[in-house]
Amino acid sequence: MSFIQKLRQSVNPTKIDDFKATIGKHQGLARGNRFLIYMRPPEQSILNIDISNIAISALSGNFKASSLINDPRDIALLCDSTSLPGRQIQTMDNPHLGFRNTIKHPTQYFNEDVEFTFHLTNDYYMRKMFDKWMGLVINQETFLKNYDEVYTSDITIQQLNAENMPVYGVKLKNAFPITMGGVELNNGSSETQKLSITFTYEDFEPAGGISSTFGGIKDAIGL
C-alpha cells in the first residue's frame, strides 16, 4: 500500500466501525417521528363553545366540561406531522476584479412557511379551532385586517431523542395560519381524516432543548 493510500485511509472514515463510532459520539441518529409542538391559539380561539356540538355530546352522554376549552396539550397530541423550517439567503451578483467575473453578495433572507398536519376527531375539534383562528386574521364580513396581536402566536417545534428528551428547538415568532387544506370525503376510503394547516410567521430562532421547552410551555400557558 502506497503512502498516499495509507494517508487517504487514515483521513477518510470509510469503515463501518468508524461510522458507528461517529454516530455514537453524537448520541445516535435523529428520527423524524420524535417531535413535539407547543401551540397556543389566540384568546378568541381558546373557547370551544359550539351549541350544536354541546347538544349532540349531551344527548350521547359524552359531554365533558373540559371540552369547552381548546387545550394546547390536545393540539400537540393531535399533531401528526410538521417540519423544522428552512431558510434561504438571497444574493445579488456584483462585478469583481473586472467585468468578466462576478461574486454573490448577501442582501436578505427568506424563511419557509411551515405546514402542520392534524388528526381530525369526530367533533371536528381542530377544524373548528382553525376556522375561528383564520377568521381573526381578516374579518370575512367587513374584509378588514385585525391587529397583529389579536391573531398571532408563538409556536415552538422540538426534535426529541429516543428517550423523548428535547435536543433542538425552533420558535416561530408571531405565527398565524394562512392556508387550510380541504378535507376529502370518500365512500371508498377507510382511512381516518387529517387536516393540513400552513403557517407563516415573522421570523424563527433556533433554541436548545431545555430553553425551547421552558419557552414553549410559557407561550402555551400564556405567561
Side-chain angles (χ1 to χ4, degrees), residues 49-217:
I49 301 178
D50 187 322
I51 301 301
S52 61
N53 187 59
I54 293 174
I56 293 173
S57 299
L59 290 173
S60 62
N62 296 323
F63 175 75
K64 296 181 180 179
S66 59
S67 63
L68 299 179
I69 303 295
N70 286 322
D71 193 332
R73 292 171 298 181
D74 294 342
I75 298 173
L77 290 172
L78 290 173
C79 183
D80 180 61
S81 66
T82 186
S83 61
L84 295 169
R87 175 175 286 166
Q88 178 182 359
I89 294 179
Q90 187 178 35
T91 61
M92 178 182 295
D93 290 341
N94 288 328
H96 178 66
L97 300 178
F99 66 91
R100 296 183 184 275
N101 184 29
T102 60
I103 60 174
K104 296 182 180 296
H105 288 279
T107 57
Q108 57 184 329
Y109 64 86
F110 294 98
N111 296 324
E112 293 180 347
D113 292 336
V114 177
E115 182 176 337
F116 295 82
T117 302
F118 297 93
H119 293 284
L120 276 178
T121 51
N122 276 326
D123 58 359
Y124 259 46
Y125 168 72
M126 297 305 300
R127 172 76 188 220
K128 293 176 180 178
M129 189 198 75
F130 282 111
D131 281 339
K132 293 181 180 179
W133 194 339
M134 296 190 75
L136 295 174
V137 182
I138 296 180
N139 189 299
Q140 298 177 9
E141 296 181 357
T142 64
F143 301 102
L144 296 177
K145 172 187 171 297
N146 221 325
Y147 293 105
D148 292 355
E149 57 269 20
V150 172
Y151 61 83
T152 60
S153 179
D154 292 341
I155 300 173
T156 299
I157 307 171
Q158 288 184 329
Q159 170 77 64
L160 308 179
N161 62 15
E163 288 75 36
N164 290 326
M165 296 297 294
V167 296
Y168 181 80
V170 165
K171 181 176 183 178
L172 311 181
K173 298 189 292 185
N174 297 325
F176 62 95
I178 57 172
T179 303
M180 179 163 55
V183 179
E184 182 181 0
L185 306 175
N186 187 344
N187 282 329
S189 174
S190 59
E191 296 181 357
T192 59
Q193 293 173 306
K194 297 179 182 180
L195 178 70
S196 63
I197 303 290
T198 302
F199 275 81
T200 192
Y201 46 93
E202 182 180 292
D203 205 349
F204 75 80
E205 57 183 22
I210 300 300
S211 60
S212 64
T213 298
F214 287 136
I217 294 175

Side-chain angles (χ1 to χ4, degrees), residues 9-26:
Q9 192 177 57
S10 63
V11 173
N12 297 326
T14 56
K15 296 181 180 179
I16 186 63
D17 290 340
D18 294 334
F19 178 73
K20 291 169 62 177
T22 299
I23 297 301
K25 181 175 66 174
H26 295 284

